[in-house]
Amino acid sequence: MKWLIYLVLTVCIIGGWIFYSLPSQETKDLEAKIAALENSGMDENNELPKLKSRLESQANEKIFSGILLTFLTAGLVGTVVVIDVLPMLAHKATHSVYDSGAQVEEDAMHAARSKVAQGDYVGAIESFREAAKADPLNRMPWVEIAKIQRENLEDPNAAIQTIRYALESQEWEINNAAYFLFRLAELYDEDAGDRMSATTMLQQVIDQFPETRHSANARHKLHEWGLL
């Protein structure tokens, strides 16, 4: 329906410009009469000033019509550009960037998991880092890196550093930030034997996300440890 309206308006405006570009028969007749009177030098009824006034009036009306047609044309073009063309271009640009990033992230994750299956843990970590760059707000690449470092490379300290870096590298939404803090508490307590640091991580959850299930879970864990 919208495009039908655009089509009708376009046809009307084009028709208006065609009509505007053609001189009217009345204008031709006036010009002919004025020319005849001026050539004859005889204007007994003093018609010449009246004819010239009418011709000037018609010229002014045509100028006004031209201005009106110009505004109508500009309005139609502007409406189409703002309502249809610009949103379409923005949509395509957004999808182009998003789809490109998503494809890079997907390819990198697939490559990383293939390398894990092949036992190429260092290569897998690099691929997961590429995935993290392609999708910075996706926590999964960092989780997978820490898992490899902890379980396959038997380097829990590296896993701790990875999770700490991930936590500090972005403004994560609550669920992701809390996840990283709980993961750090687990690594500190179970692998590093550092319950004090683990307690600090849980307390950070309580302080940063009060009145949430994350805070409740952190309090429950501290209660299990006999610290609350």
Side-chain angles (χ1 to χ4, degrees), residues 122-141:
V122 174
I125 288 174
E126 290 303 315
S127 293
F128 279 126
R129 290 188 188 279
E130 290 179 13
K133 290 179 182 178
D135 189 5
L137 294 180
N138 183 1
R139 78 186 186 200
M140 289 310 299

Side-chain angles (χ1 to χ4, degrees), residues 174 204-216 219:
I174 292 176
Q204 190 171 338
V205 172
I206 295 171
D207 293 340
Q208 288 188 359
F209 314 119
E211 307 303 326
T212 66
R213 60 184 177 85
H214 305 298
S215 177
R219 289 180 180 278

Side-chain angles (χ1 to χ4, degrees), residues 193-206:
D194 185 355
R195 179 155 292 185
M196 182 177 293
S197 294
T199 301
T200 299
M201 295 298 103
L202 295 177
Q203 187 61 49
Q204 190 171 338
V205 172
I206 295 171

Side-chain angles (χ1 to χ4, degrees), residues 154-204:
E154 298 181 351
D155 189 355
N157 288 329
I160 290 172
Q161 293 306 313
T162 293
I163 297 298
R164 290 192 70 93
Y165 174 81
L167 178 62
E168 296 168 1
S169 65
Q170 298 287 342
E171 288 293 331
W172 298 95
E173 55 92 22
I174 292 176
N175 289 338
N176 287 332
Y179 175 87
F180 283 133
L181 289 170
F182 277 112
R183 188 64 172 157
L184 280 172
E186 178 187 2
L187 289 167
Y188 277 125
D189 186 59
E190 296 181 6
D191 294 275
D194 185 355
R195 179 155 292 185
M196 182 177 293
S197 294
T199 301
T200 299
M201 295 298 103
L202 295 177
Q203 187 61 49
Q204 190 171 338

